[in-house]
Amino acid sequence: MGILWTIIIGFIAGVIAKFIMPGDNEPSGFILTTILGIVGAFVATYLGQALGWYGPGEGAGLIGAVVGAIVVLFVYGLFAGRQRRSI
């Protein structure tokens, strides 16, 4: 059940992160933004567990997931920008 909540929170976090951090190099599709938000939620969950912020089996909250999604969107923007410039 924890993974399901992480996916739901990640979906919401991806949409919020896209509104917070719009840009040309960011994904424009709703599905890709959602997937990156879910990845950000998983990153926030595992990083938080590694740092001791969350206990075992405890997922990141909405704020942590939004921060994780913003980090993933930033990294995605860096790589997408490099690929577009090299073509």
Side-chain angles (χ1 to χ4, degrees):
M1 190 70 178
I3 292 176
L4 181 65
W5 280 114
T6 302
I7 290 172
I8 292 170
I9 295 294
F11 169 76
I12 296 167
V15 173
I16 293 171
K18 180 64 178 167
F19 285 121
I20 292 174
M21 192 176 162
D24 294 335
N25 293 335
E26 306 304 328
S28 58
F30 179 74
I31 304 266
L32 187 56
T33 300
T34 302
I35 290 172
L36 290 176
I38 293 170
V39 169
F42 277 107
V43 167
T45 296
Y46 290 116
L47 185 63
Q49 287 176 355
L51 294 174
W53 295 343
Y54 306 118
E58 195 176 29
L62 182 62
I63 295 172
V66 169
V67 171
I70 289 172
V71 169
V72 170
L73 283 172
F74 178 75
V75 171
Y76 178 85
L78 289 176
F79 286 113
R82 286 185 185 163
Q83 288 179 353
R84 288 184 185 160
R85 285 185 219 139
S86 66
I87 292 177

